[in-house]
């Protein structure tokens, strides 16, 4: 299951109802890098997946 789904004009699949699942870009997103930042006793990790076929990159920080 992809970490995120992305819809963009010109990239996609046939309409699948109100749910944005199995998007073309979302399926191609692959780990590019990540960064973990510590703030006192907590830490936050940002994951940066990228699509090799488009300039799309989607920095994501899970909560």
């Amino acid at each position: 299951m992809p970490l995120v789904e992305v819809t963009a004009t010109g990239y996609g699949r046939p309409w699948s109802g109100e749910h944005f699942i199995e998007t073309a870009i979302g399926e191609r997103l692959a780990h590019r890098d990540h960064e973990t930042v510590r703030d006192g006793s907590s830490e936050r990790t940002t994951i940066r997946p990228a699509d090799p076929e488009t300039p799309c990159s989607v920095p994501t920080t899970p909560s």
Side-chain angles (χ1 to χ4, degrees):
M1 173 181 284
L3 180 62
V4 296
E5 292 288 0
V6 177
T7 58
T9 303
Y11 300 93
R13 304 238 186 279
W15 186 71
S16 63
E18 295 180 14
H19 303 282
F20 292 106
I21 59 172
E22 298 180 358
T23 60
I25 295 174
E27 287 184 357
R28 290 191 308 257
L29 289 173
H31 181 268
R32 182 181 67 192
D33 64 11
H34 66 276
E35 174 184 34
T36 299
V37 176
R38 292 186 180 201
D39 182 17
S41 62
S42 65
E43 61 182 38
R44 179 181 67 240
T45 300
T46 299
I47 303 163
R48 293 183 194 88
D51 176 13
E53 295 183 27
T54 67
C56 184
S57 176
V58 186
T60 305
T61 304
S63 54

